[in-house]
Each structure stands twice: as C-alpha cells, then as structure tokens.
Amino acid sequence: MTNIKDIAKMAGVSVATVSRVLNNHPYVSNEKKAVVRLAMEKCNYQRNINAVHLSKGKTFLIGVVIPFTNHPYFGLLVEGIANEAVKHNYKLVVFQTNYKEEREVEALKMLQHKQIDALIICSRICNWDIITGYAAYGPIILGEDARGKNISSTYIDHYKSFSIALEYLHNKGHHKIGYCVGRKTGTNSKQREAAYKDFLHKWQEEFRPNYIFYECFNFEDGEEIMQRLMKMENPPSALLVASDQVAAGILTCCKEHNIHVPNELALMGFDNQPIAKVMNITTLEIPLKAVGRKLFLQAMDSSTISHEEIAVKLIKRQTV
C-alpha cells in the first residue's frame, strides 16, 4: 500500500511537503502542489481518514439514538439535529434501538471507543447507572428532563404540560379524563403519571386504571384504543393523547363509528405534527426541530453541563 514516503519519493519532495499538501497548508508553492497531486493520482493514493481523525482527536461524527426511524416525532427531532450538524460540518450516526437496551449500549460503546465525538439520546431505555458510567468517555446529551444529573439535557416538562392540558379539559366540563402514552417507564411517562394523579387528587376525582392506555405509538394504536373504549360501560369523556399520530387514529375510528368529537369524546394530542393540522386536532405544540438544534449545540459544548427547558403551546382546534 502506498504511503506518503512513496508519494514524496515519486514527486521528488520531502515527506513534510506531502503532509502540507494533504492538509492544505498555505505555504506550499503551486508547482510542488501539482507534482504531489500528480504522484497521488498515478498511484491512486487514498488518505487513511481514521488516522487523520486519530491525530486530530475528532471523528466529526455525532451519534443519535432514537427508538424508531419511522415515527414523525423522532423524524423531526433528527431533522433539527441534522440541520445544525451540516452547519458545523458534522455527520450523524443514527442508532435505532426499538427500545432494546443492548442496542443503546452499542451506541454508548462507540462513544467509549472514540468512534463518535458525542452521543445524543433522544429517548432512553438504559437506566441511569449505565448512562452515567459512560459519561467519562465523552458528551452524552439527553432529550428528557435530566436536572439533578451530571449530564446535559434539552427537555419538555411533561408534568407541567400535562397539568395544563388536564386543567383545560376540566374547564371544558370534563370529569372523566383518560390518557394515552407510549411506555410505562421512562422519565416523561413518570412525570405525566404524577401530573395525572395530582390533578385527580386536586379535584377529588376517582382514579380509574382502565382510563390509562400504554404502548400507544402509531395511528393503528389509536384504532385499538377505540375498540377498547367502545366496550366500556363507563368510558372517559375526554382523552389526552401523547402523540398526534395516535390521536389521529382515534379520531378516524370515531368517524367510522359515528362517535361525535368532541361532544361524545374530546381529544387533545401532543406535538402539533402535520396530521394534527390536517385533522383539526387540538394539541400541545412542541417545536421538535428547535429541540434537535439545541441537543446538537449542547453536544458541541462539552465544557459545561446545561439543562434547557422547551415550552409547549396549546393549539386549539375542533376536537375539544
């Protein structure tokens, strides 16, 4: 395999001159640049980019952990990260975990082995002990509330946002409110659960476990929720749905079964995704691209630990 010593010999210049040409050093004559490049072309010389990164201490790669690549929520997050990465001449390495712990650990090990410069975890499955155990190897940024932890984060206060939504539905006259979320575990789900229980306690409303629906991620999950609701003797009068995709599935199923929204069932989604605009779903807007941008910038600034809260905005439409 040809190396820079071979190139220097072919071009009749020093190894130092070849190195300067490879690194675009300004103090090399055009004549020497030309002979070095001609020698490289003749022997089809390719730089060892891994060695270059090793010498510079950077790969210019950022790892991004998401559970699903086909979900609009994470698509918008990654778009925000990617747009900022382009500005800083970085590339992304995307890890789809399907909420499998071992896949998230693979991403953490890439950080440990210096194959990436930083790791952004948009939705975590590993416990805190595992995450903090890898923090010494490089910047880890979380897309959840990590206040009190020695790891930077950009997050939504889901306790606050859920409380806002629940109070809004209550002021609309609803006393039987249910909610739909993705996972039972996780910081965001725990915050939502706490907000829900505190809301019920405040208004002395009955806690009904069957009003809570888990594993709700996609449009089809909304249809399944409606099948369960239609079998209930005493169904909720309103649902707070942590995904516009799921809310759209519920609304579609309501129309198919002539269930009037919002008179028979009020719906409030989350994220203000395009489908919510098309279907006139009341929702709490999260500026996901802006969240992605902040996550990337935190990955770039590894000198400090910071926690950035992103506010939600209530978008009122026809479903409440």
Side-chain angles (χ1 to χ4, degrees):
M1 183 181 293
T2 305
N3 56 39
I4 62 171
K5 290 182 180 179
D6 299 324
I7 299 296
K9 186 176 180 180
M10 291 176 63
V13 298
S14 68
V15 171
T17 297
V18 175
S19 179
R20 291 189 187 102
V21 173
L22 289 171
N23 290 289
N24 296 315
H25 198 282
Y27 303 114
V28 182
S29 69
N30 289 334
E31 181 183 356
K32 289 185 177 179
K33 286 180 182 178
V35 295
V36 169
R37 287 168 180 162
L38 180 61
M40 291 169 59
E41 186 177 336
K42 284 182 178 179
C43 63
N44 193 28
Y45 173 77
Q46 299 294 325
R47 299 179 78 187
N48 185 339
I49 196 67
N50 289 328
V52 173
H53 289 160
L54 185 62
S55 67
K56 292 183 177 181
K58 283 188 175 184
T59 66
F60 294 95
L61 299 173
I62 299 290
V64 180
V65 172
I66 55 176
F68 315 112
T69 55
N70 63 346
H71 197 286
Y73 178 96
F74 296 106
L76 290 169
L77 265 183
V78 172
E79 183 178 348
I81 296 169
N83 288 342
E84 200 64 28
V86 168
K87 295 178 187 177
H88 291 79
N89 200 30
Y90 270 77
K91 296 180 177 67
L92 303 184
V93 179
V94 177
F95 303 87
Q96 178 174 318
T97 66
N98 289 68
Y99 284 126
K100 301 294 184 182
E101 184 176 304
E102 62 271 19
R103 293 181 180 176
E104 193 165 290
V105 170
E106 287 176 8
L108 290 163
K109 286 187 178 297
M110 284 194 70
L111 181 68
Q112 179 185 14
H113 297 147
K114 307 301 180 186
Q115 295 171 288
I116 52 179
D117 295 336
L119 185 64
I120 298 170
I121 302 178
C122 296
S123 188
R124 172 179 61 91
I125 186 62
C126 288
N127 63 42
W128 278 111
D129 289 342
I130 294 175
I131 298 294
T132 54
Y134 284 90
Y137 301 114
I140 299 174
I141 317 300
L142 292 180
E144 65 175 76
D145 187 352
R147 288 174 293 179
K149 307 291 183 181
N150 198 32
I151 291 176
S152 292
S153 64
T154 293
Y155 66 94
I156 307 300
D157 188 328
H158 286 287
Y159 181 96
K160 186 189 300 181
S161 61
F162 239 53
S163 297
I164 290 169
L166 289 164
E167 291 292 342
Y168 183 79
L169 290 171
H170 189 267
N171 290 337
K172 286 281 187 176
H174 294 284
H175 298 275
K176 299 188 298 179
I177 303 172
Y179 74 88
C180 313
V181 292
R183 296 183 293 158
K184 290 184 179 181
T185 59
T187 300
N188 297 344
S189 295
K190 289 177 181 177
Q191 287 184 346
R192 288 162 172 160
E193 180 183 6
Y196 185 68
K197 289 182 176 179
D198 288 348
F199 165 80
L200 295 178
H201 178 75
K202 174 184 175 180
W203 294 105
Q204 297 182 338
E205 301 285 359
E206 180 183 352
F207 175 72
R208 298 178 174 90
N210 63 334
Y211 280 12
I212 303 174
F213 301 86
Y214 297 106
E215 300 300 320
C216 305
F217 296 103
N218 302 307
F219 184 95
E220 293 78 13
D221 297 325
E223 295 177 320
E224 184 177 333
I225 289 166
M226 278 310 303
Q227 295 299 323
R228 291 167 59 186
L229 284 178
M230 288 187 291
K231 295 176 183 178
M232 288 185 182
E233 292 184 4
N234 184 26
S237 65
L239 281 178
L240 177 53
V241 188
S243 166
D244 287 333
Q245 293 288 317
V246 179
I250 295 172
L251 181 57
T252 299
C253 198
C254 285
K255 291 179 178 178
E256 290 174 353
H257 291 87
N258 296 316
I259 298 171
H260 190 273
V261 176
N263 291 346
E264 295 178 77
L265 179 66
L267 288 175
M268 183 180 294
F270 227 91
D271 304 336
N272 196 27
Q273 294 174 13
I275 197 167
K277 298 177 183 179
V278 171
M279 299 187 70
N280 274 324
I281 299 171
T282 294
T283 185
L284 282 88
E285 181 179 63
I286 300 176
L288 291 169
K289 292 181 186 179
V291 172
R293 175 179 177 274
K294 286 184 178 291
L295 287 168
F296 179 87
L297 293 176
Q298 284 177 306
M300 291 294 94
D301 184 13
S302 59
S303 60
T304 59
I305 300 298
S306 62
H307 303 286
E308 301 277 348
E309 181 182 348
I310 304 295
V312 301
K313 179 182 177 182
L314 180 62
I315 306 296
K316 300 176 184 178
R317 298 197 178 101
Q318 295 179 0
T319 55
V320 295

